[in-house]
Amino acid sequence: MFDLLIQGFAAVLSLKIFALMTAGVAVGIVFGAVPGLTAVMAIALCLPMTYGLGPAAGISLLIALFVGATSGGLISAILLKIPGTPSSIATTFDGGPMMEKGEGAKALGVGIVFSFLGTIASIAALAFIAPSLASVALSFGPHEYFAIAVFSLTLIATLSSGSMAKGIFAGVLGFAVSTVGIAPVDATTRFTFGNVQLNAGFSILTVLVGMFAVAEVIKVAESARHPVDGGKAPMPVKIKGFGFSMAEFLGQIPNATRSALIGIGIGILPGIGAGTSNIIAYIAAKKRSKTPEQFGKGTIEGVVASETANNAGIGGAMIPLLTLGIPGDAVTAIMLGGLMIHGIQPGPMLFITQAPLVYTIFAALIVSACLMLVLEFWGLRIFIKLLAIPKHILLPVILVLCAVGAFGLASRIFDIWTILGFGVLGYAFVKAGIPTAPFIIGFILGPMAETSFRRGLQLSKGDYTGFLTNPISGAFLALAAVSIALQLWGEYRASRGRTTAGPLTLGGEE
């Protein structure tokens, strides 16, 4: 095994492949950082370049793009409160507030380091336990996926700080928006109102860009006439190292370990992806934290959870791809195409027939992670200087880039109007005090819950009890019921506490 790994490192550290990977990580970081551009777009644009390269060089370039783009999303998520990719949604929850408190450099440093550690943890899982993990994931069917989706949806209440009713409303609205278009099972057209542009529904990218990026631009523009700071953010202080202490790093090890396991586990399951894992890891971190009230106000715990989980999904997504030939998301689907272009057929026999190439892929993942750490550390001082750009210059540029990214999805003007529409909706959420995260969770998990529910009913011939009698799905549904009960009990106790405290306070004043 180690001999093969050494051969893999010898291949990727050759001058040609190393130069390609360095460029690939740098380009991936840019695609991840710019709102509207994604890892899918980066890999799709660079895939034709691999035709004339050998298998090792071509696959190494695609892997470098994948790693760079997944991590790059943290830059705009922290500096601008706009997730560059769906995998960085939860990073905005605490990364943005940290930046506003003058701790932007610290948030960036934490995100970069734990992105690296999450990637390394997932590579270890890929190298040592890939076949057994993939076989477990393969045993999951519609009943299990539906139960997982329901359990994840019940976690909306955790992100609904202040008003559970508003959080549930946002989640239900997100679920409803995800149903627009052609139904996944029987191909029935729904809620399109005769507009053929709506047949394909709304892309997750347009929803994200609108709800976060465009809404943020509108919110900042509202106060542009009388800026408190003259339109500029304060210049950052000098950065030492990655901006955080060793004690803070060691204190986050349990959080990072838990988040890495969540990212790897969800990455293995096809169709869920890092867009969900970072939010679930964030919720888990908040539940286990000794100071949950600090979440959403600027704590490194939230950044660590999100960035560790989304990068841990890289190795997790590669497990079913290499061992079973099953792509888990759009990125790994393009990666599968890249492998097949070079005559590589993923599957159980790949580890036997082309073992040197497999370990070259492992080496490429490790080298890409190290390059990502070095390039982002080197660029840390450059990223933080973006804060000195006046907002009346920066925000119009961001808006144009968002429009370019939306148009690049399918070359449709309709997508540009879509991000503007969701931008207005996101701004309305801000003004009404409605949390955005539950809406995104509902939108992401809605299609999976609906599709799995209908396919599960088809398998059980219309018998609803199949979801309960199946051991795995039954366990997840039971966990969902317990989660709802605990949330309701917590709300009841909180309301009783407020009712009891009211008269006592008045009495004390009297």
Side-chain angles (χ1 to χ4, degrees):
M1 174 181 173
F2 289 103
D3 292 340
L4 290 170
L5 192 58
I6 291 171
Q7 291 179 29
F9 276 112
V12 299
L13 292 177
S14 65
L15 183 59
K16 175 187 173 182
I17 296 180
F18 185 77
L20 280 171
M21 291 180 65
T22 303
V25 171
V27 170
I29 290 172
V30 172
F31 269 77
V34 176
L37 305 181
T38 62
V40 175
M41 198 175 296
I43 295 175
L45 289 174
C46 294
L47 185 61
M49 294 173 56
T50 67
Y51 293 167
L53 303 173
I59 300 305
S60 296
L61 174 59
L62 297 180
I63 287 172
L65 289 163
F66 187 12
V67 172
T70 302
S71 178
L74 69 90
I75 297 170
S76 56
I78 292 170
L79 295 183
L80 305 171
K81 292 202 294 184
I82 300 169
T85 61
S87 61
S88 295
I89 296 169
T91 308
T92 63
F93 300 161
D94 282 291
M98 286 184 71
M99 185 273 296
E100 292 173 348
K101 293 192 300 183
E103 298 180 342
K106 182 178 182 179
L108 283 171
V110 167
I112 292 168
V113 169
F114 284 94
S115 289
F116 169 75
L117 294 178
T119 306
I120 295 297
S122 71
I123 295 168
L126 174 63
F128 292 104
I129 54 178
S132 55
L133 285 176
S135 63
V136 171
L138 193 62
S139 66
F140 277 48
H143 295 91
E144 290 82 3
Y145 278 113
F146 171 73
I148 291 172
V150 170
F151 173 66
S152 300
L153 286 168
T154 61
L155 300 177
I156 283 176
T158 306
L159 295 178
S160 306
S161 56
S163 173
M164 187 182 293
K166 290 182 178 179
I168 293 173
F169 166 77
V172 171
L173 183 60
F175 198 119
V177 171
S178 73
T179 63
V180 174
I182 297 176
V185 176
D186 55 11
T188 302
T189 303
R190 305 176 301 188
F191 310 119
T192 61
F193 306 103
N195 188 341
V196 295
Q197 301 280 10
L198 289 173
N199 284 347
F202 297 110
S203 164
I204 178 63
L205 181 63
T206 58
V207 173
L208 275 182
V209 169
M211 294 293 290
F212 286 97
V214 178
E216 181 70 13
V217 169
I218 297 173
K219 186 177 78 171
V220 174
E222 183 184 21
S223 57
R225 287 181 175 272
H226 306 286
V228 177
D229 55 3
K232 293 185 179 181
M235 286 298 292
V237 296
K238 290 183 178 180
I239 308 167
K240 183 179 179 182
F242 280 99
F244 59 94
S245 67
M246 181 58 70
E248 288 174 315
F249 172 78
L250 294 175
Q252 293 303 312
I253 294 299
N255 182 12
T257 303
R258 178 179 57 250
S259 301
L261 293 173
I262 291 172
I264 293 168
I266 291 179
I268 294 170
L269 300 174
I272 303 181
T276 304
S277 67
N278 75 105
I279 297 177
I280 293 179
Y282 181 89
I283 294 170
K286 184 176 180 180
K287 281 181 172 290
R288 300 287 296 176
S289 174
K290 295 179 181 178
T291 56
E293 69 280 357
Q294 294 299 319
F295 278 70
K297 299 177 182 178
T299 174
I300 63 170
E301 290 182 81
V303 178
V304 168
S306 174
E307 288 303 316
T308 305
N310 64 26
N311 281 267
I314 293 173
M318 295 292 287
I319 289 174
L321 174 66
L322 295 179
T323 59
L324 301 170
I326 300 173
D329 54 17
V331 176
T332 48
I334 299 175
M335 295 281 287
L336 176 61
L339 289 168
M340 297 182 73
I341 285 171
H342 294 284
I344 304 165
Q345 181 58 55
M349 295 301 294
L350 180 66
F351 287 75
I352 299 172
T353 59
Q354 300 194 54
L357 181 62
V358 171
Y359 283 90
T360 299
I361 292 173
F362 294 163
L365 283 164
I366 295 171
V367 171
S368 295
C370 294
L371 285 171
M372 175 266 292
L373 181 69
V374 171
L375 291 176
E376 289 189 342
F377 174 69
W378 176 76
L380 187 59
R381 280 86 182 151
I382 299 173
F383 302 149
I384 206 71
K385 286 181 180 178
L386 290 173
L387 297 177
I389 301 175
K391 290 182 179 178
H392 68 273
I393 296 175
L394 183 61
L395 293 178
V397 173
I398 292 171
L399 194 60
V400 170
L401 290 174
C402 291
V404 170
F407 183 77
L409 281 175
S411 301
R412 299 189 307 172
I413 297 296
F414 174 78
D415 289 322
I416 298 177
W417 288 111
T418 300
I419 65 169
L420 293 176
F422 279 106
V424 172
L425 178 63
Y427 177 70
F429 271 34
V430 172
K431 300 300 286 185
I434 300 173
T436 305
F439 178 90
I440 299 298
I441 293 177
F443 183 82
I444 292 174
L445 295 178
M448 185 178 80
E450 180 193 5
T451 303
S452 300
F453 178 70
R454 298 179 69 175
R455 287 177 178 168
L457 286 178
Q458 287 178 339
L459 285 176
S460 57
K461 298 180 180 179
D463 185 5
Y464 291 90
T465 59
F467 294 97
L468 299 174
T469 56
N470 184 294
I472 298 176
S473 64
F476 272 105
L477 289 175
L479 286 173
V482 171
S483 175
I484 293 172
L486 289 175
Q487 292 293 339
L488 292 174
W489 175 247
E491 287 284 312
Y492 173 71
R493 290 186 61 183
S495 63
R496 280 195 64 186
R498 288 192 295 268
T499 304
T500 306
L504 288 174
T505 302
L506 292 172
E509 289 177 354
E510 290 173 359

